[in-house]
Amino acid sequence: MIYRQAKIEDSRTLAELNHQLIRDEGHWNPMTVPELENRMRGWLADAYRAIIFQGDEDILAYALYREDDTLIYLRQFFVIRNRRRQGIGRRAMDILRHERIGRRAMDILRHETWPRDKRLMVEVLWNNTGAIEFWKAVGFDEYSLTLEMKSGE
């Protein structure tokens, strides 16, 4: 598996994958792919970074995250549907936690993998049991529970 830092030009592809993620996890977000693309462009232009993981030619997964002084917040992590339960998610997390991630040598900026002295946080919908099992298997522990009351109820 190869990987690279996403560019603004990847926003459409990431939005399409994000749309699948929203549907797969049972999220209530009604945004369309063009709306998700605009949001993704804003995130990548500001505080978020994304890493794209690829097979021979096809995208297998992506991770979208932001980092501050003490925390890395993994906002989105997605493995394409027909490649789940093949070790891709685990390998991608290993890369994020332990390997150097950089752009091509011609690029000026470089990005180090996630520092070990920072907490990692990911949010999971309570009914997404497959994701909860995955996150626990790669080392995450339960931290909080968020409850909501939908409007009009």
Side-chain angles (χ1 to χ4, degrees), residues 10-131:
D10 294 309
S11 294
R12 176 67 181 200
T13 300
L14 292 172
E16 290 169 355
L17 295 171
N18 183 207
H19 194 259
Q20 289 179 39
L21 170 64
I22 289 166
R23 301 301 167 257
D24 289 357
E25 69 183 357
H27 199 285
W28 55 261
N29 186 335
M31 293 174 79
T32 64
V33 171
E35 291 169 327
L36 293 169
E37 180 180 2
N38 286 336
R39 182 175 74 169
M40 186 67 69
R41 283 184 182 282
W43 282 342
L44 293 177
D46 191 27
Y48 283 89
R49 293 184 180 138
I51 303 298
I52 296 173
F53 302 90
Q54 293 179 255
D56 292 332
E57 294 186 22
D58 297 331
I59 292 177
L60 302 173
Y62 80 96
L64 177 75
Y65 65 97
R66 68 176 161 74
E67 183 175 347
D68 65 27
D69 292 339
T70 62
L71 174 75
I72 295 171
Y73 172 64
L74 181 57
R75 182 170 189 120
Q76 297 172 6
F77 184 80
F78 180 73
V79 176
I80 62 169
R81 292 172 182 149
N82 65 339
R83 297 302 301 271
R84 293 180 187 152
R85 300 214 176 265
Q86 297 177 19
I88 291 167
R90 183 178 292 275
R91 176 69 181 121
M93 285 304 297
D94 284 345
I95 289 167
L96 290 168
R97 293 174 63 203
H98 303 293
E99 293 186 22
R100 182 173 178 80
I101 299 170
R103 298 180 180 186
R104 292 191 176 128
M106 297 171 65
D107 289 356
I108 296 169
L109 299 175
R110 297 212 40 95
H111 169 72
E112 295 292 335
T113 141
W114 293 348
R116 293 186 176 271
D117 62 342
K118 294 189 180 185
R119 284 185 322 129
L120 304 178
M121 181 178 284
V122 64
E123 295 175 349
V124 183
L125 295 178
W126 73 273
N127 61 343
N128 191 347
T129 56

